[in-house]
């Protein structure tokens, strides 16, 4: 019995790590959608480096946080040890990451577009 509980804890840790990895990847894809456009928005002054140094890590970390919160929330709210099944938790994490993706897309949608390069 003790070995079975240890095996379940190992599966829990591995699946949580996988969900965190998928959340980080979703944040990376959400950031990369229009990253070049955002970086060139102020091209007359040079590239906008905050797109790489600030937006990338924050978007990836937000994706990880959303995924892990959605993964752990059903387990923390219930009194039973394994009350929330894996399928339900995976579905909740997928819905949360899809919603996160749409929020990131709308957030970056309102940025100004750069003017086309013109050579004199």
């Amino acid at each position: 019995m003790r070995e079975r509980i240890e095996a379940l804890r190992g599966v829990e840790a591995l699946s949580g790590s996988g969900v965190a990895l998928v959340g980080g990847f979703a944040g990376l894809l959400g950031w990369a959608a229009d990253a070049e456009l955002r970086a060139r928005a102020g091209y007359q002054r040079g590239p906008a480096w905050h797109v790489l140094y600030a937006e990338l890590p924050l978007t990836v970390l937000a994706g990880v946080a959303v995924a892990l919160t959605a993964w752990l929330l059903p387990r923390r709210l219930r009194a039973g040890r394994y009350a929330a099944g894996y399928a339900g938790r995976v579905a909740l994490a997928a819905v949360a990451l899809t919603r996160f993706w749409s929020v990131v897309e709308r957030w970056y949608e309102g940025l100004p577009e750069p003017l086309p390069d013109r050579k004199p």
Side-chain angles (χ1 to χ4, degrees), residues 4-65:
R4 183 174 179 198
I5 291 175
E6 290 297 321
L8 286 175
R9 285 184 184 163
V11 169
E12 179 82 16
L14 186 61
S15 57
S17 300
V19 166
L21 185 66
V22 168
F25 189 66
L28 177 67
L29 288 179
W31 171 84
D34 291 328
E36 183 180 2
L37 181 72
R38 293 191 312 272
R40 292 181 182 220
Y43 75 96
Q44 292 173 343
R45 297 172 304 202
W49 290 107
H50 68 84
V51 172
L52 180 64
Y53 293 129
E55 290 179 8
L56 173 62
L58 290 176
T59 308
V60 170
L61 287 176
V64 170

Side-chain angles (χ1 to χ4, degrees), residues 81-94:
R81 181 138 176 95
Y82 294 103
Y86 283 113
R89 292 167 66 189
V90 167
L92 181 63

Side-chain angles (χ1 to χ4, degrees), residues 67-117:
L68 285 179
T69 301
W71 179 252
L72 293 175
L73 192 62
R75 185 169 177 197
R76 298 294 181 226
L77 293 179
R78 290 253 165 127
R81 181 138 176 95
Y82 294 103
Y86 283 113
R89 292 167 66 189
V90 167
L92 181 63
V95 168
L97 285 175
T98 303
R99 187 73 185 131
F100 171 71
W101 180 296
S102 66
V103 167
V104 168
E105 288 297 316
R106 274 192 244 132
W107 178 266
Y108 290 136
E109 190 175 83
L111 295 176
E113 293 191 24
L115 299 172
D117 291 333

